[in-house]
Amino acid sequence: MSVVTRFAPSPTGRLHMGHAFSAIRAHDVARDRGGRFLLRIEDIDGMRSRPEHVATIVEDLRWLGLTWDGEVLFQSARLEVYAAALERLRELDLLYRCYCTRAEIAEALSAPHGSVAVYPGTCRHAPARDAPHCWRIDMAAAVARCGDLSWRDHAKVVANDALAQGDVVLARKDAPASYHLAVTVDDAAQGVTDVVRGRDLFEATHVHRVLQALLGLPVPCWWHHDLLVGTDGQRLAKRHGAPTLAALREAGEDGAAVAARLRTGVV
Ligand SMILES: [Zn+2]
């Protein structure tokens, strides 16, 4: 089977070196194996996504010397597909409405709760009412329906830990799908065989593996790479004042040279 990878940025801001590092990793995993590299724009957040950022992302990737195969996929064009997946999960009786505000959840979590802020399940058995709500998955019920949920991170087999993620949101109050649902549906639809992404999404993979099992989707292999850090040990994507790729480009930096440095892990 031919390898298919993807880079899937959100057009909510400009790309940094950390994004470039991840894009190059995904690109090279495919190209080194004669496979296909896809570009997907995760613009499901209509409030924060901006067309001008899409144009900048395309320019940034070209500047780095990356090429992708086929048409760019936009999540904003696929809301009906996510709605259908959500409906399937609803028919399995695994979803419930959550009416909580951020403040209410924060308050419920103020007691010591371990390292992960897990939704406490407040609305799991709440009667339906006419109020703004998101849709959460009853993770314990979901996991109980599935068989083996282990997954592969490159060569290593990882035991599933979706229960520790709690009843995550699958459809938001302000968007018809959450990241978890859209990314899982799209990776399957695009035939992605190898999901290359940062280690910060390692825990999310437990959830995605559950959704694949419930929706009958193929299971890819994951490659969670370390996050790019600066000489001060801080994540470049988060560091205050880290230059965007657009700023480097406009300053006359050579994109191919930047990409070459990123491939050696030195920035
Ligand atoms: Zn709730």
Side-chain angles (χ1 to χ4, degrees):
M1 186 171 60
S2 176
V3 168
V4 180
T5 69
R6 50 49 166 198
F7 178 58
S10 294
T12 53
R14 295 195 155 186
L15 301 187
H16 291 255
M17 289 291 254
H19 297 111
F21 183 64
S22 199
I24 289 169
R25 291 293 293 264
H27 172 273
D28 290 0
V29 164
R31 295 290 185 238
D32 290 350
R33 291 159 185 76
R36 303 176 72 233
F37 173 63
L38 309 178
L39 177 59
R40 180 166 77 226
I41 301 295
E42 302 206 330
D43 57 348
I44 207 165
D45 188 337
M47 298 295 285
R48 294 173 62 228
S49 297
R50 296 272 183 275
E52 60 266 32
H53 291 315
V54 176
T56 307
I57 288 167
V58 166
E59 279 181 64
D60 288 343
L61 297 179
R62 288 193 178 133
W63 174 71
L64 289 165
L66 304 185
T67 57
W68 52 93
D69 299 296
E71 296 288 312
V72 178
L73 190 77
F74 289 85
Q75 289 194 327
S76 56
R78 294 176 48 76
L79 303 186
E80 286 168 24
V81 180
Y82 310 138
L86 200 71
E87 185 56 31
R88 280 188 67 180
L89 297 172
R90 208 179 280 124
E91 284 166 3
L92 294 175
D93 208 17
L94 293 174
L95 304 187
Y96 63 87
R97 292 178 179 85
C98 169
Y99 305 92
C100 298
T101 62
R102 276 176 197 275
E104 284 166 347
I105 294 173
E107 193 182 346
L109 291 173
S110 60
H113 217 279
S115 57
V116 184
V118 174
Y119 175 70
T122 316
C123 299
R124 198 177 294 135
H125 304 293
R129 61 180 201 262
D130 187 18
H133 58 270
C134 67
W135 288 91
R136 291 184 180 273
I137 186 167
D138 183 336
M139 192 59 83
V143 167
R145 283 188 71 102
C146 303
D148 178 21
L149 286 169
S150 61
W151 49 274
R152 279 182 50 220
D153 188 14
H154 199 189
K156 194 172 87 233
V157 175
V158 181
N160 197 284
D161 195 22
L163 289 176
Q165 305 306 308
D167 296 353
V168 298
V169 173
L170 294 191
R172 292 162 36 175
K173 280 177 189 168
D174 59 349
S178 72
Y179 166 75
H180 294 304
L181 185 67
V183 77
T184 303
V185 167
D186 285 348
D187 281 339
Q190 292 191 285
V192 172
T193 63
D194 295 75
V195 177
V196 183
R197 62 187 182 191
R199 187 152 290 279
D200 53 331
L201 288 165
F202 186 91
E203 277 73 28
T205 301
H206 297 307
V207 174
H208 302 172
R209 180 68 188 84
V210 170
L211 295 179
Q212 285 153 2
L214 295 171
L215 295 170
L217 303 176
V219 181
C221 177
W222 284 267
W223 305 52
H224 292 99
H225 58 75
D226 288 336
L227 299 173
L228 194 65
V229 293
T231 46
D232 58 358
Q234 213 181 337
R235 271 184 67 185
L236 284 186
K238 296 276 166 94
R239 188 162 62 181
H240 181 70
T244 63
L245 299 183
L248 295 173
R249 197 171 68 236
E250 283 152 17
E253 285 238 27
D254 178 13
V258 170
R261 285 208 301 280
L262 284 169
R263 285 189 169 97
T264 67
V266 180
V267 289

